[in-house]
Amino acid sequence: MSSQAWDHETVRSIVAGLKAKPGALLPVLHGIQDALGFVPPGAVPIIADELNLSRAEVHGVITFYHYFRDTPPGKHTIHLCRAESCQSMNAAGLEAHAKAQLGIDFHETTTDGTISLEPVYCLGNCACSPAIMVDHDVYGRVTPERFDAIVADLRSEK
Amino acid sequence: MSTTIFVPCDSSALSLGAEAVAKAITAEAARRGVALRLVRNGSRGMFWLEPLVEVETSEGRVAYGPVLAGDVEALFEARFWEGGPHPLRLGLTAEIPFLKRQERLTFARVGITDPISLDDYRAHDGYRGLRRALELKPAEIVREVTDSGLRGRGGAAFPTGIKWNTVLNAAGEQKYIVCNADEGDSGTFSDRMIMEGDPFVLIEGMTIAGLAVGATQGYIYLRCEYPHAHRALNAAIEAAYGAGYLGADILGSGHRFDLEVRLGAGAYVCGEETSLLESLEGKRGLVRYKPPLPAIQGLFGQPTIINNVISLASVPIILDRGAAYYRDFGMGRSRGTLPIQLAGNIKQTGLIEKAFGITLRELLYDYGGGSASGRPIRAVQVGGPLGAYLPESQFDVPLDYEAYAVIWAVLGHGGVVAFDDTVDMAKMARYAMEFCAVESCGKCTPCRIGSTRGTEVIDRIIVGARRGEQVALLRDLCDTMLNSSLCALGGMTPYPVLSALNHFPEDFGVDKADAA
Ligand SMILES: Cc1cc2nc3c(=O)[nH]c(=O)nc-3n(C[C@H](O)[C@H](O)[C@H](O)COP(=O)(O)O)c2cc1C
Ligand code: SF4
Ligand code: FES
Ligand code: FES
């Protein structure tokens, strides 16, 4: 999702499809983020309305969880693991390399809109540290060279 | 006759290129006209050998690894599908010492079967536990679990049977079984391996739990960082419904059990059981005051069993083989097996399921082959981010809940993360405090404020300002966190912090004598 524009109907139909579930809010937020790449602030009143919650409650839940974002991500999102096992295999070096290579910090998107960089706390790939996740694919034993190759692939696939 | 080839679909194997290997094998087989049947199995848990390709032969399964897509042509030249010789050939998989020396009960099928094939599951003793449970009264199922000595594998090691008994005896219109699949600890991946490699065993364990306490609805709360596990669980749940293992009338018994996967959203504290329940209810993951226990008033205020993936996945074999079979493994009050996850700076990382009582030294050197970097192993964190750091002088303490408590350490979820001598333990202590500050749910002051203060204090110790005074302040803060936090996030962050300070004072610029 590269633009702020999003379709209210999409949000409405996701909420309508899931609202009958007990404790529907997280499934609803996941549904919206899966479809749009983020949870637009403008979706909050729609969700609140449909689920009979206050806007503050919905907003509070969105901000509590690291995974939900209220701005559109780049075309691809790289989650870089910062947890202990990856640290023991120099995740800090990989982090510095990634930031320098992409020219961005965590929670930012490259100027060409291709890649967003996010920190993550463990990907369950600690036997192959350091690890990153690109969209839904996990990569292990990521050297700086391997990182560059992965990024080059993402950029060339356009 | 076509040969069966196995290429794992476990996400760690995929993270090293298993998908490209599978594709290359299919393409090369077609090109050469060799008839192969490709099975995507779970991982055997020997990650330095992944992607590990296995071939079914008359002597048993033969392994090749680590295989990259570029090796595939040469493997075909070597007629690997007949077990032919090649530099990557490792011999019979079952004879690889790392695997051979294990006691795989909960992981009996992982890496062996096709994870989402119900036929394969049943052909390897699957659903025998449920069949036995259907012949027992609820209290008899609970007694079997109690007698097995199983204690929760999520971290707190609470006896599973006692928890189940409370739910059995609690009154409620709707009881729930909740599986804690948040697996937030760094250095752990056993839940993931089960869910990706043998999802039916978790489904079966939860179904048995439902029968045991009269619960008809189950939820698996899965962390969102595990998309492969999500897919495998959903596929297995669908198959189980299709064959009558889930739904309104389990195997014609008249008992109902429904099961659904729900995703978390990247909050470590949501692994804490009451925070998890809040999250399942669609709220912020604020930790609840206890009592009431979740067993009495859990999900939506109803009696709820909440157990870790490994706890629930251990139930089928206990019901199938009997409590005594399981209890015969282990030592003292730590009965059965623990799936240990060997991670970090280690040459041979992987999953080691062993009876309680093995030592770190055996794990790090006999199984792990020492550090990956070739440098000395200096510190080992056991039990995730809230676990203590152990120095070499403690490597011979047996892994046992009570023996670890004596040295002020914990087993937690069985994660072992090794660091070589380049580690800066003051940095690791700071990281632990900062992690607590970032992940705190904010409900209680010792954790919310204490961790932020603690981070500042460690910063001052590192730069060396009034060091003695600051060390005393850090100990005070840790005392408060230990004694007055509402949950173990605030309550156990002092474990990594103080163990780092006590065992590695030199990294803080402090003398051994001054550290105390
Ligand atoms: C901050 C925190 C995080 C936790 N994370 C997990 C987790 O990811 N998985 C888990 O099974 N238990 C976790 N626990 C432990 C649970 O609160 C609870 O003890 C466990 O789910 C009970 O299941 P068991 O008896 O089968 O271990 C955590 C506890 C705390 C305090
Ligand atoms: S210790 Fe921390 S995470 Fe636990 S209840 Fe208190 S503030 Fe929340
Ligand atoms: S610590 Fe990085 S994947 Fe687990
Ligand atoms: S924290 Fe869950 S994916 Fe980023």
Side-chain angles (χ1 to χ4, degrees):
Chain A
M1 226 22 223
S2 55
S3 95
Q4 279 294 157
W6 52 277
D7 179 13
H8 289 235
E9 255 339 286
T10 307
V11 170
R12 259 179 229 291
S13 74
I14 290 167
V15 183
L18 295 169
K19 66 189 257 191
K21 280 183 186 287
L25 187 50
L26 262 72
V28 162
L29 295 174
H30 272 294
I32 294 172
Q33 187 154 310
D34 282 350
L36 304 178
F38 69 119
V39 183
V44 171
I46 305 177
I47 302 167
D49 219 39
E50 292 280 326
L51 297 185
N52 262 325
L53 298 167
S54 72
R55 292 178 189 193
E57 281 171 298
V58 176
H59 179 75
V61 169
I62 294 171
T63 50
F64 183 86
Y65 296 96
H66 301 305
Y67 178 72
F68 297 125
R69 52 184 302 150
D70 61 2
T71 56
K75 192 152 169 256
H76 301 284
T77 301
I78 299 182
H79 278 95
L80 192 144
C81 178
R82 300 189 67 206
E84 287 90 343
S85 175
C86 288
Q87 288 184 48
S88 78
M89 293 299 281
N90 196 23
L94 181 64
E95 178 184 328
H97 175 83
K99 288 177 175 172
Q101 229 20 43
L102 299 173
I104 53 174
D105 205 337
F106 281 135
H107 311 300
E108 293 180 354
T109 302
T110 52
T111 42
D112 64 355
T114 332
I115 295 165
S116 297
L117 187 65
E118 297 288 335
V120 66
Y121 186 83
C122 191
L123 294 164
N125 198 29
C126 333
C128 310
S129 294
I132 65 172
M133 182 147 94
V134 181
D135 302 328
H136 277 172
D137 294 323
V138 183
Y139 294 80
R141 296 190 203 126
V142 182
T143 55
E145 296 71 39
R146 184 142 190 248
F147 182 87
D148 292 348
I150 293 166
V151 169
D153 277 352
L154 294 177
R155 289 217 150 111
S156 66
E157 88 183 21
K158 290 239 165 138
Chain B
M1 210 198 78
S2 80
T3 312
T4 307
I5 307 282
F6 299 85
V7 180
C9 62
D10 170 277
S11 52
S12 278
L14 294 174
S15 87
L16 301 172
E19 195 58 41
V21 171
K23 286 205 177 106
I25 288 177
T26 308
E28 192 66 20
R31 201 173 69 81
R32 294 174 184 250
V34 180
L36 298 180
R37 187 176 77 98
L38 185 69
V39 172
R40 304 306 299 272
N41 56 337
S43 172
R44 298 282 196 150
M46 299 182 285
F47 290 108
W48 78 101
L49 298 176
E50 291 285 3
L52 184 83
V53 174
E54 289 180 87
V55 182
E56 189 81 67
T57 74
S58 53
E59 282 90 66
R61 275 157 72 160
V62 171
Y64 295 81
V67 177
L68 294 178
D71 299 318
V72 167
E73 210 186 317
L75 283 173
F76 272 88
E77 283 301 312
R79 301 182 74 85
F80 82 111
W81 71 89
E82 293 167 349
H86 183 276
L88 294 177
R89 190 181 190 276
L90 301 160
L92 293 173
T93 318
E95 294 298 317
I96 297 174
F98 189 95
L99 202 54
K100 191 178 185 184
R101 285 182 289 173
Q102 299 194 26
E103 284 133 356
R104 290 209 166 179
L105 307 185
T106 309
F107 276 74
R109 271 174 301 267
V110 176
I112 293 178
T113 53
D114 174 347
I116 53 177
S117 159
L118 192 49
D119 288 337
D120 221 6
Y121 185 63
R122 282 183 297 217
H124 290 82
D125 297 341
Y127 275 124
R128 287 168 50 120
L130 177 66
R131 289 196 182 274
R132 168 130 187 275
L134 284 168
E135 293 162 5
L136 300 177
K137 295 195 186 69
E140 291 170 335
I141 304 175
V142 172
R143 187 168 327 119
E144 199 75 20
V145 173
T146 308
D147 289 349
S148 75
L150 177 67
R151 292 163 72 179
R153 302 289 190 247
F158 188 82
T160 305
I162 294 180
K163 186 185 281 188
W164 287 25
N165 200 46
T166 310
V167 179
L168 172 64
N169 294 323
E173 303 145 34
Q174 171 70 61
K175 297 181 184 179
Y176 294 101
I177 309 298
V178 173
C179 172
N180 188 339
D182 201 47
E183 194 161 69
D185 290 2
S186 168
T188 68
F189 44 82
S190 60
D191 296 352
R192 179 184 65 65
M193 284 183 68
I194 284 282
M195 294 185 286
E196 292 177 353
D198 193 18
F200 287 113
V201 79
L202 174 58
I203 297 169
E204 183 182 355
M206 292 184 73
T207 310
I208 294 170
L211 290 174
V213 300
T216 54
Q217 176 69 50
Y219 290 103
I220 298 171
Y221 184 90
L222 176 69
R223 69 198 305 250
C224 66
E225 292 85 351
Y226 283 1
H228 294 286
H230 192 199
R231 234 170 291 144
L233 285 170
N234 279 337
I237 287 173
E238 196 186 317
Y241 268 108
Y245 289 97
L246 285 173
D249 185 16
I250 298 162
L251 295 181
S253 66
H255 293 286
R256 168 185 280 278
F257 192 67
D258 290 303
L259 186 54
E260 185 183 332
V261 181
R262 287 289 179 91
L263 289 182
Y268 178 76
V269 74
C270 286
E272 194 282 336
E273 56 187 14
T274 63
S275 164
L276 187 155
L277 295 174
E278 289 287 301
S279 184
L280 263 183
E281 292 181 6
K283 304 175 192 156
R284 291 182 292 154
L286 296 187
V287 172
R288 296 178 184 169
Y289 290 102
K290 285 191 255 186
L293 290 173
I296 312 278
Q297 282 179 40
L299 188 61
F300 302 114
Q302 300 294 324
T304 302
I305 285 184
I306 175 161
N307 274 131
N308 169 256
V309 173
I310 301 296
S311 314
L312 289 163
S314 300
V315 167
I317 196 167
I318 290 169
L319 266 291
D320 177 19
R321 304 282 187 92
Y325 173 80
Y326 191 79
R327 194 183 51 223
D328 280 349
F329 293 87
M331 66 179 278
R333 295 204 296 117
S334 304
R335 310 310 315 176
T337 57
L338 179 67
I340 298 154
Q341 301 119 93
L342 194 53
N345 198 328
I346 282 289
K347 201 175 289 163
Q348 302 182 162
T349 54
L351 187 286
I352 300 157
E353 183 175 356
K354 278 296 274 183
F356 286 91
I358 189 172
T359 66
L360 269 190
R361 198 178 300 281
E362 289 170 79
L363 288 168
L364 299 170
Y365 299 101
D366 298 351
Y367 286 85
S371 73
S373 62
R375 305 182 65 96
I377 296 174
R378 179 159 179 250
V380 179
Q381 188 175 33
V382 182
L386 307 177
Y389 284 98
L390 282 69
E392 211 219 319
S393 60
Q394 296 181 330
F395 286 0
D396 296 307
V397 177
L399 270 77
D400 160 271
Y401 295 118
E402 279 67 40
Y404 260 53
V406 169
I407 57 165
W408 209 63
V410 293
L411 294 184
H413 184 47
V416 172
V417 176
F419 292 79
D420 72 13
D421 63 352
T422 60
V423 69
D424 177 344
M425 294 306 296
K427 259 197 195 153
M428 299 317 294
R430 186 194 188 280
Y431 179 85
M433 269 297 186
E434 190 188 26
F435 178 72
C436 180
V438 171
E439 299 296 332
S440 169
C441 84
K443 187 142 172 175
C444 67
T445 327
C447 167
R448 181 167 41 91
I449 309 288
S451 54
T452 305
R453 291 285 326 272
T455 312
E456 296 160 5
V457 173
I458 297 175
D459 277 339
R460 286 200 289 272
I461 295 174
I462 291 173
V463 300
R466 288 171 292 134
R467 208 170 250 155
E469 193 182 302
Q470 297 300 318
V471 166
L473 191 54
L474 180 60
R475 289 190 181 281
D476 258 13
L477 264 172
C478 283
D479 246 22
T480 310
M481 290 175 75
L482 268 169
N483 297 317
S484 23
S485 295
L486 182 55
C487 87
L489 181 54
M492 287 179 60
T493 292
Y495 277 70
V497 172
L498 291 183
S499 59
L501 176 62
N502 293 338
H503 299 307
F504 307 94
E506 61 278 16
D507 288 16
F508 295 74
V510 179
D511 283 344
K512 262 234 144 77
D514 295 347

